[in-house]
């Protein structure tokens, strides 16, 4: 099929799924006869979104900035940690167990502490997102570097390669597809970190807005904020996915539209 | 080109608790191609990896060149898989060795090597765009680019189809002439076409045995009656070794 045609078909499927989901939503409202402060109709949510766009949009920008800053920080820390663990044996022996232990602490449980230490502003949300993100990035990148094709390393050895060249010219490029998987996960979970941070304590952001809308039983506003958040998360994920696919053209993709 | 010869002496080789090679002493003649044959698991690849420095030398083992200069910095390695890096172009793959040593590669020479193996015009292609035979030729170009007197080849053509293998044998015999080559294979015909000397690894732990080689310069034509007769004999010897 032509790429354009494929894109058209994908858009059509998306439209059909969207209309179907809205239909199911209407059906549930109708079948349960839920009051609008329990479950508003899609129309009420849309009206709320349009009417309060100024407020929602402003809070959305705050959350988006936190997500992006958290993503950048988490990815940077994750890359640095993986390289440190890979290139420096004492780092491997000391840091790796600490990393595993750190993941045994539920990140949501330390959110109140982060807010206590770093305040109600963006810093605690960025830290929260970064903490959630850095571990999948570190493990994906480190595992990728460890699983470098042994034949390539043999070849490098017979060529008299320097350890530095083996790291930068073999292990790092060989790990990029694995790192890309880690970055996709990071893009998907970054919004969770930011919003959880906002729930615990914030003065702005979509999480803060949703919490307050919930408290005032303005469920339609809460849904509107949720939809904006979901749209941002999806856009982020697909932007990262697209960028990674474009940056790694040599990475084979065995799953296409027609793969059974 | 005046490549030196190699002298190898090992008091046996054990991997884990498994004795792979018996005590042996081998001289690889200067500028000659020595083919190591044997059934799978006979230790032929281990022997080659030992020479390449990819396995630790056992206590008391000796590997030296006949000119007394160090061996390891002067050898090139070619494996069964092409080992081309999928993210590099053909040109960059051929020039890989210098970059891994932190040197500036001679790209015009890399282009010459690519032309020598018949891949001129495909310099910018990534490995995925090349056929299996072309990829193995690219690996040969990368081996030649290293320009080493000692060339170690571990079943270099076993992953390609028979006609392609035939052509690759001619090409490598021509391009590697004058170097001291150690070639591991399980293909008797390949051995008989390319070898100045054939060693069959027999028994556990394995002992190398010399096998008569047909007369005439390499690569010997596959239809040479002497090659065909020797092939039948060699096949029987290998079957005995495997039994």
């Amino acid at each position: 099929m032509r790429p354009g045609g494929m894109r058209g078909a994908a858009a059509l499927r998306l439209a059909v799924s969207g209309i179907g989901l809205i239909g199911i939503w209407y059906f549930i409202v109708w079948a349960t006869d839920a009051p609008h402060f329990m479950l508003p109709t899609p129309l009420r949510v849309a009206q709320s979104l349009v009417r309060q766009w100024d407020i929602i949009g402003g809070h959305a920008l705050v959350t988006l900035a936190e997500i992006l800053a958290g993503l950048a920080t988490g990815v940077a820390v994750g890359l640095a940690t993986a390289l440190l663990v890979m290139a420096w044996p004492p780092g491997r022996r000391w840091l790796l167990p600490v990393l595993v232990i750190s993941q045994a602490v539920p990140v949501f449980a330390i959110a109140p502490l982060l807010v206590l230490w770093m305040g109600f502003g963006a810093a605690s949300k960025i830290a929260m997102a970064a903490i959630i993100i850095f571990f999948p990035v570190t493990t994906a990148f480190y595992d990728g570097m460890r699983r470098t094709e042994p034949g390539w390393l043999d070849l490098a050895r017979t060529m008299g390669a320097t350890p530095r060249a083996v790291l930068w010219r073999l292990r790092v490029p060989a790990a990029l597809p694995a790192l890309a998987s880690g970055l996709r996960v990071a893009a998907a979970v970054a919004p969770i970190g930011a919003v959880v941070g906002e729930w615990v304590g914030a003065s702005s952001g979509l999480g803060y807005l949703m919490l307050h809308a919930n408290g005032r039983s303005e469920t339609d506003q809460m849904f509107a904020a949720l939809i904006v958040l979901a749209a941002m998360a999806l856009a982020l994920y697909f932007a990262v996915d697209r960028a990674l696919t474009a940056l790694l053209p040599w990475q084979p993709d065995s799953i296409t539209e027609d793969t059974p | 080109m005046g490549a030196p010869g190699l002298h190898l002496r090992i008091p046996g080789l054990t991997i884990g608790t498994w004795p792979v090679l018996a005590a042996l002493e081998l001289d690889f003649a200067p500028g000659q191609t020595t083919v190591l044959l044997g059934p799978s698991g006979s230790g032929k690849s281990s022997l080659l990896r030992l020479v390449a420095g990819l396995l630790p030398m056992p206590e008391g083992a000796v590997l030296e060149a006949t000119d007394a200069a160090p061996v390891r910095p002067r050898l090139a390695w070619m494996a069964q898989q092409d080992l081309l890096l999928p993210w590099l172009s053909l040109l960059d793959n051929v020039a890989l060795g210098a970059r891994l040593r932190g040197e500036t590669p001679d790209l015009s020479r890399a282009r010459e090597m690519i032309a020598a193996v018949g891949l001129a015009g495909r310099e910018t292609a990534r490995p995925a765009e090349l056929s299996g035979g072309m990829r193995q030729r690219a690996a040969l170009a990368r081996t030649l680019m290293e320009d080493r007197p000692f060339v170690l080849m571990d079943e270099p053509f076993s992953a390609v189809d028979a006609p392609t293998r035939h052509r690759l044998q001619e090409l490598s015999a021509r391009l590697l002439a004058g170097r001291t080559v150690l070639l591991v294979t399980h293909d008797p015909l390949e051995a008989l076409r390319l070898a100045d000397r054939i060693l069959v690894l027999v028994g556990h732990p394995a002992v190398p045995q010399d096998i008569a080689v047909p007369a005439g310069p390499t690569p010997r034509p596959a239809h040479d009656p002497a090659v065909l007769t020797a092939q039948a004999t060699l096949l029987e010897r290998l079957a005995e070794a495997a039994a």
Side-chain angles (χ1 to χ4, degrees), chain A:
Chain A
M1 204 189 277
R2 290 176 301 113
M6 223 139 73
R7 207 166 295 149
L12 185 68
R13 277 200 298 276
L14 200 63
V16 170
S17 308
I19 291 168
L21 285 173
I22 290 171
I24 293 169
W25 184 348
Y26 262 119
F27 176 77
I28 293 172
V29 174
W30 171 79
T32 60
D33 200 17
H36 63 78
F37 60 85
M38 294 283 277
L39 181 63
T41 62
L43 181 65
R44 283 187 77 100
V45 172
Q47 282 167 342
S48 165
L49 186 59
V50 171
R51 202 171 53 241
Q52 297 174 308
W53 177 246
D54 286 350
I55 300 168
I56 295 173
H59 286 290
L61 282 181
V62 171
T63 302
L64 183 64
E66 288 165 0
I67 292 171
L68 292 178
L71 193 60
T73 313
V75 168
V77 173
L79 292 180
T81 311
L83 284 172
L84 188 70
V85 168
M86 186 71 231
W88 192 48
R92 204 171 312 151
R93 281 194 292 275
W94 289 95
L95 210 53
L96 221 47
V98 176
L99 283 179
V100 175
I101 293 168
S102 79
Q103 292 307 299
V105 180
V107 189
F108 302 122
I110 61 167
L113 279 177
L114 290 178
V115 173
L116 178 69
W117 292 334
M118 307 175 87
F120 282 78
S124 55
K125 286 78 196 170
I126 293 169
M128 186 80 193
I131 287 171
I132 295 186
I133 287 161
F134 101 96
F135 192 70
V137 173
T138 302
T139 48
F141 192 32
Y142 177 58
D143 278 351
M145 287 191 283
R146 271 174 33 161
R147 290 207 202 98
T148 307
E149 159 75 43
W152 294 341
L153 297 174
D154 284 349
L155 181 70
R157 220 162 131 189
T158 62
M159 286 173 158
T162 64
R164 196 188 150 90
V166 169
L167 178 64
W168 290 105
R169 291 187 180 273
L170 282 183
R171 288 192 188 271
V172 168
L176 291 181
L179 173 62
S181 308
L183 293 178
R184 288 187 180 96
V185 173
V189 300
I192 302 177
V195 170
V196 168
E198 287 171 357
W199 279 346
V200 173
S203 48
S204 59
L206 286 176
Y208 162 85
L209 185 68
M210 284 162 74
L211 209 58
H212 277 257
N214 195 30
R216 295 194 304 268
S217 293
E218 289 179 15
T219 318
D220 47 357
Q221 191 192 41
M222 193 174 158
F223 268 88
L226 193 61
I227 284 168
V228 173
L229 183 64
M232 284 188 337
L234 280 175
L236 180 65
Y237 179 82
F238 284 113
V240 169
D241 185 56
R242 277 286 173 84
L244 290 172
T245 308
L247 286 171
L248 302 174
W250 46 270
Q251 164 69 359
D253 187 352
S254 56
I255 303 288
T256 62
E257 286 267 312
D258 303 317
T259 305

Side-chain angles (χ1 to χ4, degrees), chain B residues 88-104:
Chain B
L88 293 183
S89 68
L90 171 58
L91 183 67
D92 288 331
N93 262 300
V94 170
L96 180 70
R99 293 224 170 90
L100 285 181
R101 287 185 292 274
E103 302 159 4
T104 310

Side-chain angles (χ1 to χ4, degrees), chain B residues 117-129:
Chain B
V117 299
L119 289 177
R122 303 306 306 270
E123 287 82 357
T124 57
R126 285 222 175 83
E129 299 164 44

